[in-house]
Every structure is written in C-alpha cells, then in structure tokens.
Amino acid sequence: MCGRFTLYSSAEELETEFGFPFPFIQPNYNVAPTQNIMAIVGNQAETKAGWMHWGLVPYWAKEKKIRNRMINARSETADEKPAFKRLLANRRCLVVANRFYEWKREQDSKHPYLIGVKNSPILTFAGLWDRWKDPATGEVLISCTILTTAPNDFMSDLHDRMPVILNEGNRQAWLDADIRDSEKLKQLLVPYSSDHMTAYEVSKAVNNPRNNEASLIEPLV
C-alpha cells in the first residue's frame, strides 16, 4: 500500500519539472491520509495542479467517513469496483511526491524506510479522483486515492504492495482523456523498475503523523 509520503519540492521546482504553475507548497515530510495532497489533472490542451483530499469520497457516498478506507485502490481490480470503475475511465490524476515511506517487518517490530527513485527527486503516483457534495451542508470535497500494484523485486523485501509510479513517458498517457479503455490503461499500472529504486531506514519518529521535520528523511545511523 501507500500510506505515507513526502512532498518538499517548491512550487518553482515543480513548475520546472512539469512546465506549468503550481500553488505555494509548505514542505511536508510526513504526508498522511486525510491531509490535502498535490495532484495534477488535465490533458495536453490544459493541465493544472491543485490540492485534493487524500482519501476518496465517491460522489454517491452518504458520508465522507468512507475516506478512511479509500486512501489506496488496487490497480488490478480498479476496473471492477463500483467506487473506481467510472473514475478509471474519466477521472485520473497524478499525485506528486518526492519519496514515500514503507514499513518492513523484522521479528516483532516494524522499521520505516524511505523509498525513492534514483536520479529523479520528484515522483508521480497514479491516482483517481472524484467530487462529493455533502448532502447536509452543501460542502464540496475534491478527493483522491493512490493506485497500488504488486511489488517489484526491490520492494518485495519491504512490503507486498507498492504505489504505481508513473515515469515521465507515461504521465501524459495516464491523463489523456481520449484513452478510456481499461485494458490499455492497466498496461500503465505496473511495478516500477527495481533497478531505478533506492531505500534506506529512517527514524521511527515518522510513525506519528504529528511529527513533520526534515530530520524524518535522514538515514538512520
């Protein structure tokens, strides 16, 4: 799964990477579910970035508490599940990150690792989004989920799932509104190359989402 990540690149750095403006970003070294996360939507004609709530609330949901179990979606079955099938065809997004955390079980405890991609400080996860309106208050919530896939050889030692990381060549295809065929889309939702990934153990301080300091991403000595 993907339950925690980082985003500390500045808006200017992201604009250089993607070629369009980003809103101001306060560095976050411990992004957790139910927080707002940076996402990209659009196509070649118009692509834009903005904040979305992490934890999908489908448009048909009666209450937003469903978000707590919708932070991830399995890519293998996204075209079958009622909450995701329509979104896979029509509402895809890129979730922007620098690195992500995963916990490796060793004996009776779990040890957090920070995982990234070599020679690329910025990651994009495949995501799905939706718009929900609170029937009681009229509040409109834009929310999203991060797609996961089977682990590559590198990740299999850490966890049995990993986020779908889209490289630069697949980002535009994922956002292309003209592509709606689920089988074609699922061809993009594959494990990232093991050869291009890196990881190291970090402090267990990251276990508490209230902790949010740059020291969280430092290697554990």
Side-chain angles (χ1 to χ4, degrees):
M1 64 177 294
C2 179
R4 212 75 66 79
F5 63 91
T6 67
L7 179 58
Y8 45 79
S9 290
S10 67
E12 291 75 19
E13 289 170 328
L14 295 178
E15 182 173 351
T16 298
E17 172 77 11
F18 296 101
F20 50 84
F22 278 74
F24 172 78
I25 294 174
Q26 181 70 38
N28 192 339
Y29 300 95
N30 200 358
V31 182
T34 73
Q35 295 182 6
N36 287 332
I37 60 179
M38 182 60 62
I40 299 170
V41 297
N43 50 44
Q44 288 183 327
E46 182 183 10
T47 307
K48 57 185 179 180
W51 298 104
M52 291 187 184
H53 183 87
W54 186 14
L56 184 74
V57 183
Y59 81 95
W60 42 259
K62 295 181 179 180
E63 297 178 307
K64 64 181 179 182
K65 64 182 180 181
I66 193 175
R67 63 187 177 177
N68 297 324
R69 60 179 187 270
M70 293 279 199
I71 66 168
N72 291 153
R74 295 178 68 93
S75 60
E76 298 90 337
T77 57
D79 59 339
E80 303 169 9
K81 303 296 184 180
F84 308 130
K85 182 176 181 179
R86 175 181 58 91
L87 306 183
L88 182 64
N90 300 294
R91 290 190 167 173
R92 302 186 296 273
C93 64
L94 299 172
V95 175
V96 184
N98 289 111
R99 301 176 186 177
F100 65 98
Y101 296 100
E102 196 51 82
W103 281 256
K104 180 180 181 180
R105 181 174 290 281
E106 296 179 358
Q107 297 179 347
D108 294 330
S109 63
K110 292 183 177 181
H111 299 259
Y113 283 75
L114 186 64
I115 303 152
V117 172
K118 298 175 183 177
N119 304 319
S120 180
I122 298 170
L123 307 178
T124 48
F125 303 136
L128 304 173
W129 69 277
D130 209 352
R131 180 183 288 107
W132 175 78
K133 186 175 181 179
D134 190 320
T137 66
E139 170 201 7
V140 175
L141 183 70
I142 307 298
S143 63
C144 65
T145 187
I146 295 173
L147 286 157
T148 65
T149 186
N152 57 27
D153 290 341
F154 181 90
M155 283 294 300
S156 62
D157 187 50
L158 298 173
H159 201 271
D160 61 358
R161 301 292 292 175
M162 67 180 292
V164 175
I165 303 171
L166 295 175
N167 60 32
E168 186 175 356
N170 288 334
R171 290 170 182 170
Q172 198 58 55
W174 179 247
L175 294 179
D176 190 341
D178 292 332
I179 302 177
R180 299 191 176 188
D181 180 76
S182 62
E183 291 306 314
K184 183 176 292 187
L185 290 166
K186 288 171 71 174
Q187 291 176 13
L188 302 174
L189 306 178
V190 296
Y192 203 79
S193 171
S194 290
D195 294 339
H196 297 156
M197 299 193 72
T198 182
Y200 54 81
E201 189 172 357
V202 294
S203 169
K204 289 185 178 180
V206 74
N207 293 355
N208 188 336
R210 290 192 295 270
N211 294 330
N212 188 7
E213 303 84 27
S215 60
L216 294 178
I217 66 173
E218 295 176 358
L220 185 66
V221 178

